[in-house]
Amino acid sequence: GYTKASDLANEEGVRSLLYTSRRGDLLLKCFPLPGEGRTLEIRASGVTDLTGQPTDALPEELTPEKTAVRGLTAHFYRFPENTARYGQEGYLLAFYEGGAPLYSVVLPELSTALVWIDEDTGAVFLLTGGLEEDILVRIAESMYETGGETA
């Protein structure tokens, strides 16, 4: 099983929980639910300038697989290796509002991510690790079963 290693929140309302195990780490981020004019973008890291303007395109092979978490639409991403060919060391997942970045996280190559929105809790969830889709979905669903205390 996984053990909670840290639980942090910032002034923007973003909560980050890190879980560890012998199999590796999982990171769960909870973002306030996007409002109108907010978007989620994934790019090779470093491809936006300081104002958040894109300077390169998303790699074509990074297409999400549609899945579900407790009946909620979710998207599973598998980040390909060799981002060096794009001149980057990872992938930037960023939330924007009106074209300006709100918050972001950089994910390493060969990692995976599950993203879903839960309107009842008012949050967008991001669960990352190097695990397969079915395992990340089971972990995400277990948060609802346990009240979010363990993964």
Side-chain angles (χ1 to χ4, degrees), residues 71-102:
L72 302 169
T73 300
H75 292 92
F76 174 77
Y77 296 88
R78 182 181 312 280
F79 298 95
E81 66 180 321
N82 196 14
T83 52
R85 66 185 159 165
Y86 300 106
Q88 313 303 324
E89 297 192 14
Y91 294 91
L92 176 73
L93 187 145
F95 290 85
Y96 291 85
E97 182 170 33
L102 275 175

Side-chain angles (χ1 to χ4, degrees), residues 85-132:
R85 66 185 159 165
Y86 300 106
Q88 313 303 324
E89 297 192 14
Y91 294 91
L92 176 73
L93 187 145
F95 290 85
Y96 291 85
E97 182 170 33
L102 275 175
Y103 26 80
S104 63
V105 62
V106 175
L107 303 172
E109 62 183 11
L110 298 179
S111 64
T112 57
L114 184 66
V115 179
W116 74 100
I117 295 173
D118 186 334
E119 292 183 8
D120 290 338
T121 61
V124 175
F125 293 93
L126 166 66
L127 181 61
T128 65
L131 302 173
E132 295 299 319

Side-chain angles (χ1 to χ4, degrees), residues 38-89:
R38 292 189 183 177
T39 59
L40 168 66
E41 294 184 20
I42 299 179
R43 300 178 180 279
S45 69
V47 298
T48 57
D49 63 22
L50 293 177
T51 67
Q53 297 303 309
T55 59
D56 197 0
L58 174 68
E60 289 179 16
E61 64 269 22
L62 188 56
T63 303
E65 298 172 29
K66 194 172 181 180
T67 186
V69 173
R70 301 239 341 165
L72 302 169
T73 300
H75 292 92
F76 174 77
Y77 296 88
R78 182 181 312 280
F79 298 95
E81 66 180 321
N82 196 14
T83 52
R85 66 185 159 165
Y86 300 106
Q88 313 303 324
E89 297 192 14

Side-chain angles (χ1 to χ4, degrees), residues 7 9 18-20 28 33 36 77 79 90 103 118 132 134:
D7 185 349
L18 178 65
Y19 294 91
T20 60
L28 173 67
L33 186 63
E36 281 191 43
Y77 296 88
F79 298 95
Y103 26 80
D118 186 334
E132 295 299 319
D134 62 326

Side-chain angles (χ1 to χ4, degrees), residues 5-19:
S6 67
D7 185 349
L8 306 170
N10 66 18
E11 59 276 358
E12 287 88 27
V14 177
R15 185 173 176 196
S16 299
L17 295 102
L18 178 65
Y19 294 91

